[in-house]
Amino acid sequence: MSLFKKATIRHSLFIILIFIVLTTLRLLWLAYFLPSSSQPIAQEGIFDIRDQALNDKEMLHLNGEWLYYPGLLIDPLNTDNNKYPRLFEQSIRTIPTRDSEATTQRYGTYRLKILLNENAPKDNRYAIRIPAVSTASTLYINGELAGQSGKVATDSNNHKGQAAPYTVYFTNEQPEIDLILHVSNFDTPASPIIAKRVLFSSAPAMAHHEIITDLSLTTISVMLVLFALFSILVFLFIYRKPIVLLFTVGFLLPLTDELITYNRSILAWLHLDYVWSFKLSSIIYLGSAFFFVQFLRILLVKYRNAKCLQWIFAIYALGAFLTVVLPIDWLYTLNPLFFILYGVSFLYVAALALKEYLENQKQSSVFIALTAIGSTNGIIWGFIKSIYVIDIPVYPLDYLFIMLGFSGYWFKHFFENKEQINQLIAKLQTDDELKDEFLSSSSQKLWDPMNKMITLGQTIYDNPNNKLADDDKQNLKLLIDIGRSMSLTLNDILDFTRLKDGNLHLNKKNVSIQGVIYGVFDMLRFITSGKQIQMNSTISKTFPNVVADENRLIQILFNFLYNAIKYTNACSIEISAHIDNSLVVIHIRDTGLGMDDEIQSRLFSPYEQGNENDDRIGLGLLVSKKLIELHGGTLQIHSVPNKGSDVYFTLPLAEESLNEEQSYIEQEDIFSHVEGNTPLNIVEKQFKILMVDDDPINLTIMRSLFATTAYAVTTVTSSEKAIKALQQEDWDLVIVDAMLPYISGYALIEIIREHYSLLELPILLLTARNYPEDVYTGFAHGANDYVTKPINSLELKVRSRALIDLKYSINQRLHLETAWLQAQIQPHFLFNTLNTIASLSTIDTDRMIDLMHHFGEYLHASFDVRNLQRVVPLKDELELVRSYLYIEQQRFGELLNSEWDIDETINVEIPPISLQTIVENAIRHGVLKQEQGGTVCIRIKDFQNYVAVSVIDDGVGIDPRKLEELQSGSYSTSSGVGLRNTDLRLKRIYGQRLKIQSTLNEGTTITFHIPKN
């Protein structure tokens, strides 16, 4: 025989042994309370105990034949001469009654005489316990009212059912006791019956019996209440899951069921009628039964999710529903089925538990078997009690075994897990070291290909010539953002490894937190796309500096803001700061999703995410916390779910005040501008460089690197001053620090790019970090190149010179731009014009001469050297347009009409060959596309702050897709160069683009505004 079979037999014998022990205890309990075989039986309404004396422990069961008067409530005070027993046939009923039949008699009277021992004391006290009679009863002893349950009546209006047991104590001086029990039942279809035993004894014996019953019920109640309280404590301090609170309710349901079973009168305080009291007790019974099934199922491991259990749960739910909606007549029929459901479902789960115990044969499974056997024993004896009408006090030992099994299982399971945990701790410590080493090496290897992937994807995304569908382009953008997020993860891993090894060192200096904050705001724009998120800072301009590593301060703020943005789609983020005992306290408040206590408890655990869908590895906040501590500060987080979070940390305050530094900055600005205003003969040989940095020391150092004979350097300390300088002069290079207050360097670059292209004005970005997110943000906003801090003087000079040389080459290209526009005069236009002149020479020489005159003016205006200038007088441009329109009207005759609507006394300048280009576009692509031709209107209107120039045609209009392309500025290769070049020049000079309105088959209006200085 195999060892497995031997073990199975051994465990099977153990199960049988436990079952025998429980059965033995149940039989002993039953034997203690059952009456002795010598007790008399009532015969024909008489219970004769004259030959025996009552002791203080024995309980007599008034079983046997009682007189019953159906349809009659006899008068308890006049029983001897009462006429009703003679008029109505009396019957005999055996108590307790096994069967209940439907009858038309809804009320009646039970009567029994007890003949006492003549030697019994005359003032002896007795007690009688009447069980739950369906559904109302009133007890009279020797003609006097002794007790009642509900209200007995001869009609349904006055009847009130309760079906609660009650005990009465009384003193009897007669040799006999006359019991009259009035009963009525208008609630159920059955006749009024006594289904349980009526107890009779001396008062001390009844008190002893009730004490034992109360103690048993109290024992069960204490056990269930303790486990309910235990479940609450587990929920509060260990395991915050709803299933724990359900267990709390589950332990209270059996307690309520036991209390109702013992004494139904506890439902009286609800003031429910009998029907709803019955339904409520039935639902509580079903709930407690379902709990016990669920309770035992939780202990299972292998069979916990068996399909049959799902059907059982569904049947329980159906039973509860039927209990509520069905009438009580039907419920009386279904009630036995509910008990069968409970028994079958529980026995099924108990069988699974025993099967799992025999298969696993673990020590912890012994307690599962103990729980299953205790529950099964209770079910079996429940059937026996219902079949044989055994009425014994509440039995607590089954509950005791169930709770011992449940507690033992979890304690044993706890110690087994603890032993496993101790074994795993050592292994995890070793694995943790290997994991950190692996992540560090892997991150370094992944860094380079990741950056290449991001760069390649961005190149494809920015390429205006790609033919990607809108969905594909959006997916490519998403892919790029995911790649950037992954690069942040790689940074976190490397920094976390350095922090654990103690290899991360800080380069502390005085840092302006305002500049860092606004720089980080712009760095994070790539993840705020599509979200309604507002980021702002309330830190004043006079707020002092902090002592920090600028690189790491950027990283700290970036991580905090990244998390605030990541977990919400709409919120506001505000950064504020105040001084507290030589420390600067920086608050980052958001109105986002917030965090509950469970998430906050694991925020600073390595590789933990607050959200399961987070694509980062869960190190950002931990790294930030460690970096803050390296700076000598602390980090705190206060968060409320669905209201937002407040992350605040401290940094050391810089020694010098901002006011002193501000004064130095102003002097620096004045000195810089004086240097920039050098004599003309020197400036013509110098390249103009604009430097923007909020740190005057950095500006002084950078300016000293450029020789004054070759460069004219102007330094400013804010973006606002840089914008003014850009409006006043032309520059060859702008050097911008990324971290500037209020308008960051990134935002300043974006403003510059609204007026100057990458080739027209190069920008060199100064960044504290060489991380991809910093570099990408700079290039995305329009920087040409970047230099990281601390600045290498040779690198700064070489990169600056390269950009200036690029600018010089581009300037030469820009000077040839107008000549290139002039070259747009297509050969077929010249050829057609000459053909028209030749034709007129034989038809109308006057028209020929006039056409040649306008043609000459057109060529002269087109190739005028003044067109190389940035702008020309409006009248010169109008002369060119008139000449062009005259030529075209001579060619096409009635197909082309022109209208002029120009306000007088307009004296402005516009870019050369801009209006003519728009008019030519209206004629070629609008009017002449129609067979009947059309009209072109040139409208120039004078307004207070600007002059509006419009070209209106009634041609074929522009296709909506083409119009959308023109309005977005994303010109394709098929768009031509005329409108595109004009649009770009207007944007560069005035900061405004062409406004195009068009309707198919109705016409097009193109407008631009010329601001007045």
Side-chain angles (χ1 to χ4, degrees), residues 308-363:
C308 288
L309 294 176
Q310 299 177 5
W311 284 103
I312 289 174
F313 300 155
I315 294 174
Y316 271 104
L318 178 61
F321 174 75
L322 293 177
T323 301
V324 174
V325 299
L326 291 180
I328 193 168
D329 295 353
W330 290 33
L331 289 179
Y332 256 74
T333 305
L334 293 177
N335 208 37
L337 296 179
F338 292 158
F339 189 80
I340 294 173
L341 169 64
Y342 173 36
V344 171
S345 61
F346 204 99
L347 291 175
Y348 175 74
V349 179
L352 292 180
L354 295 175
K355 183 178 179 182
E356 184 169 300
Y357 164 65
L358 292 175
E359 290 177 352
N360 294 337
Q361 298 181 1
K362 295 181 179 179
Q363 293 182 0

Side-chain angles (χ1 to χ4, degrees), residues 804-874:
I804 290 173
D805 289 343
L806 177 64
K807 157 73 176 177
Y808 181 73
S809 300
I810 297 305
N811 276 340
Q812 291 181 328
R813 171 188 172 277
L814 292 176
H815 282 298
L816 297 175
E817 183 179 271
T818 305
W820 178 60
L821 288 174
Q822 296 164 354
Q824 292 183 70
I825 303 176
Q826 298 182 6
H828 76 268
F829 172 75
L830 297 175
F831 180 75
N832 290 333
T833 304
L834 293 174
N835 280 342
T836 303
I837 294 173
S839 299
L840 290 174
S841 65
T842 60
I843 300 174
D844 191 340
T845 56
D846 293 335
R847 284 179 61 194
M848 177 197 72
I849 295 171
D850 198 16
L851 178 59
M852 290 182 64
H853 173 71
H854 282 87
F855 185 52
E857 289 181 348
Y858 172 78
L859 293 176
H860 180 269
S862 297
F863 294 100
D864 194 333
V865 70
R866 289 179 298 177
N867 289 337
L868 297 175
Q869 299 176 1
R870 187 166 180 259
V871 291
V872 297
L874 175 62

Side-chain angles (χ1 to χ4, degrees), residues 117 222 267 339 347 459 556 607 701 897 906 945 1010:
N117 191 324
V222 169
L267 293 176
F339 189 80
L347 291 175
T459 301
I556 292 168
Y607 313 107
I701 295 173
N897 299 311
I906 295 180
N945 298 321
I1010 303 173

Side-chain angles (χ1 to χ4, degrees), residues 135 159-163 187 264 267-268 270-281 328:
T135 59
H159 167 85
K160 181 179 180 182
Q162 188 177 32
D187 301 303
R264 195 182 187 88
L267 293 176
L270 293 176
H271 302 290
L272 299 175
D273 59 17
Y274 178 82
V275 174
W276 281 105
S277 296
F278 180 82
K279 289 187 175 185
L280 178 59
S281 61
I328 193 168

